[in-house]
Amino acid sequence: MNMMRPMKLAGSELMFGRGCLEHLKTLKGEKAFIVTGGSSMRKSGILQKVIDLLSEAGIKSEVFSGVEPDPFFSTVYRGAEAMKAFGPDIIVGLGGGSAMDAAKAMWVYYEHPELTMLSDIIPPNPIPKLRNKARLVCIPSTSGTASEVSRSVVITEDETHVKYGIGNMEMMPDIAICDPEVTVTMPPSITAETGMDALTHALEALVSKRANYLSNILAAAAAKDIIHYLPKAYEDGSNLDYREIMLNASMTAGMAFTNVSLGIVHSMAHTMGSFFGISHGLADAIILPYVMTFNQEDEFAKNTYAALAKELGAEDLVSVIRELNDTLGIARSLNEIIKDEAAYMEVLDEMANMAKNDGCTKTNPIIPTIEQLKELFVKVYRGN
Ligand SMILES: [Fe+2]
C-alpha cells in the first residue's frame, strides 16, 4: 500500500457552467497577460470578450498569441520575456492544453528571472515558489487536457523535440473558468481527440496504483459521462448541453489524475509524440484499448473495468472503447497514420526505453518490462 499524498482539487476559485466567463469581471488586478494559441480564440470572438470583461474590471490586457501545439521552450521563454516587460499581476492561459501549459511555464520564468533554461525546471530541480508577482487564470477551449485543474505542463525541447512532462502542485492554476461557450467552435476531429484524452485520464486514474476513494468517484463519473456524451458532442458540436457535460467531465477527470497520476497509455503517447509528432489525444485514443487489454492481467484492473462496464450495461469495457473510437472516426492502429513501418520498428528500443522512464509508468497497474513495452508498441502499430 502506497502512502497517500495530499489531495488538491483545483486552485482557489473553480468556475464551471454556461456563462461563467463573466467571472473575469470580478477579478482584482491591474494588468493581464493573455497567452493563447493559433487564431481560433480570435476568430470565435472569445479573445475579445475576455479582453472586454477584464477591462470592465479595470484590468488592462496584453495578448501573446501563436503558441504552437506542444509548445517549444523557446516560445515559453519568449513569452516570459514579454511578461517581464509588461509586468502583469494576472496571467491568463486561454485555449487548449498547449496555450494553458505555455502560460503556466512562462509564469515560472516570469516569477524567477534567474531561471533561463528548460533544464532549470526539470527534476531534480524544484519548481520555485510562485505568486509573488502574478496569479494564473486558465480558460480551456477544449475538453481534454484539463490543464486548468492540473499541476503539469508538457514543454518540448527545441534541439531534440523531446517532450518533457513537468508536474508540481505549485503550478496549479489559481482560477479555472470552464465555460462551455468557449469550447463550442471546436471542430469534430479535435472534439474527438481531446475527448478521448479526457477519457484516458479518467480510465488511467481509475486503475492507478495511487487511486483512492475520492479520485475513483471523480474518475468513474467522468468516464461514464464521456462515454455517453462524447459521440453526441462529436455529432452536434453546437449543442451547448453536450459541450457543458464534456467540459465538466474533462475537468473532473483532471482533478482525479492530477492527484493520483496516470499509466502507460500516457507514457506511450508522450513517447510517440516525441518520436513521430502524433497529437496527444489521437495517440491516447489509439493506444487505450491495447493497454487496457494488457492491464486486465492484473486482478484489480480487470475488476475495476468490469465494474464500470456493468454500470454502463456493457459486457466488456475494451469493446466499449473500440466501438467509441470507431464512432469517432479514430484509426484502429497506428499504421493507418504512420506509413513507414521500417522507420517505426527501427526506433522500437528507444521508444520502449523512453516510455519505461516516463513519470506515468510507475502508477500503471502492471509495471511493464522493456520487452512488454516493445510488444505493446508493435501491437498498437499493426493492430491485432
Ligand atoms: Fe492526456
Side-chain angles (χ1 to χ4, degrees):
M1 188 71 190
N2 288 325
M3 178 74 185
M4 192 192 163
R5 300 185 188 190
M7 295 280 285
K8 183 166 173 63
L9 305 177
S12 54
E13 292 166 35
L14 173 63
M15 303 295 297
F16 52 94
R18 226 172 279 189
C20 71
L21 196 63
E22 300 275 321
H23 185 64
L24 289 171
K25 284 197 295 200
T26 70
L27 297 191
K28 303 263 180 289
E30 285 175 12
K31 290 183 189 175
F33 189 91
I34 304 171
V35 180
T36 190
S39 54
S40 68
M41 290 294 97
R42 196 179 296 276
K43 280 189 196 139
S44 68
I46 297 287
L47 177 60
Q48 193 55 51
K49 202 170 166 186
V50 167
I51 294 169
D52 292 345
L53 288 165
L54 288 168
S55 151
E56 279 189 57
I59 300 164
K60 192 176 130 207
S61 297
E62 179 167 304
V63 177
F64 182 95
S65 62
V67 173
E68 66 278 8
D70 300 327
F72 283 111
F73 174 71
S74 54
T75 303
V76 168
Y77 202 71
R78 202 156 40 84
E81 294 283 276
M83 270 183 203
K84 289 172 204 166
F86 182 62
D89 49 4
I90 295 174
I91 295 162
V92 180
L94 169 67
S98 300
M100 292 189 283
D101 283 7
K104 280 184 192 174
M106 288 171 190
W107 183 31
V108 178
Y109 291 92
Y110 167 58
E111 295 262 347
H112 294 275
E114 72 277 12
L115 307 177
T116 56
M117 297 191 302
L118 177 57
S119 59
D120 288 340
I121 65 166
I122 293 174
N125 290 322
I127 297 293
K129 271 234 151 303
L130 304 175
R131 301 172 177 80
N132 291 316
K133 295 180 181 169
R135 289 181 305 156
L136 177 68
V137 181
C138 277
I139 307 171
S141 69
T142 62
S143 299
T145 65
S147 192
E148 70 276 12
V149 291
S150 93
R151 66 195 156 96
S152 18
V153 297
V154 178
I155 305 297
T156 308
E157 189 174 56
D158 290 70
E159 297 77 21
T160 59
H161 287 215
V162 171
K163 296 176 201 322
Y164 287 92
I166 303 158
N168 188 299
M169 277 300 174
E170 195 62 23
M171 290 192 288
M172 175 75 85
D174 297 287
I175 303 174
I177 300 179
C178 309
D179 187 333
E181 284 170 17
V182 178
T183 70
V184 85
T185 53
M186 233 194 314
S189 63
I190 305 291
T191 302
E193 292 176 13
T194 56
M196 286 306 293
D197 183 25
L199 179 57
T200 306
H201 295 154
L203 292 179
E204 295 215 288
L206 208 53
V207 298
S208 158
K209 280 188 184 292
R210 278 166 44 198
N212 64 45
Y213 180 85
L214 177 53
S215 65
N216 286 345
I217 289 174
L218 298 168
K224 280 185 276 187
D225 271 344
I226 295 167
I227 288 168
H228 194 71
Y229 286 98
L230 177 53
K232 295 177 194 288
Y234 174 74
E235 257 321 298
D236 182 8
S238 61
N239 185 306
L240 266 175
D241 291 331
Y242 304 153
R243 292 297 199 187
E244 183 168 348
I245 294 172
M246 278 304 301
L247 187 55
N248 288 348
S250 163
M251 165 195 84
T252 303
M255 289 175 169
F257 93 76
T258 209
N259 283 286
V260 304
S261 194
L262 295 160
I264 60 171
V265 179
H266 271 77
S267 308
M268 294 174 70
H270 293 152
T271 301
M272 281 175 187
S274 289
F275 275 83
F276 293 98
I278 177 166
S279 80
H280 176 65
L282 180 60
D284 277 345
I286 296 173
I287 299 164
L288 181 60
Y290 296 94
V291 165
M292 287 175 71
T293 303
F294 172 77
N295 284 347
Q296 299 213 71
E297 297 294 318
D298 176 78
E299 275 304 299
F300 156 70
K302 190 176 152 200
N303 295 338
T304 305
Y305 295 151
L308 185 60
K310 198 172 166 207
E311 283 187 63
L312 291 162
E315 285 278 303
D316 161 53
L317 198 59
V318 180
S319 316
V320 171
I321 304 305
R322 289 196 187 278
E323 280 165 37
L324 182 57
N325 273 345
D326 285 350
T327 307
L328 301 174
I330 285 169
R332 290 184 181 188
S333 51
L334 208 57
N335 56 9
E336 294 178 40
I337 295 160
I338 300 169
K339 299 290 177 192
D340 189 346
E341 176 163 343
Y344 184 87
M345 296 305 163
E346 204 182 291
V347 291
L348 214 50
D349 287 299
E350 286 172 75
M351 288 202 293
N353 268 306
M354 186 185 274
K356 175 82 179 168
N357 292 320
D358 191 286
C360 297
T361 299
K362 56 183 183 286
T363 40
N364 199 65
I366 301 170
I367 307 296
T369 62
I370 294 281
E371 265 323 298
Q372 285 173 319
L373 278 166
K374 278 166 73 174
E375 276 168 36
L376 276 168
F377 274 112
V378 172
K379 277 187 184 164
V380 168
Y381 188 83
R382 293 188 178 142
N384 60 336

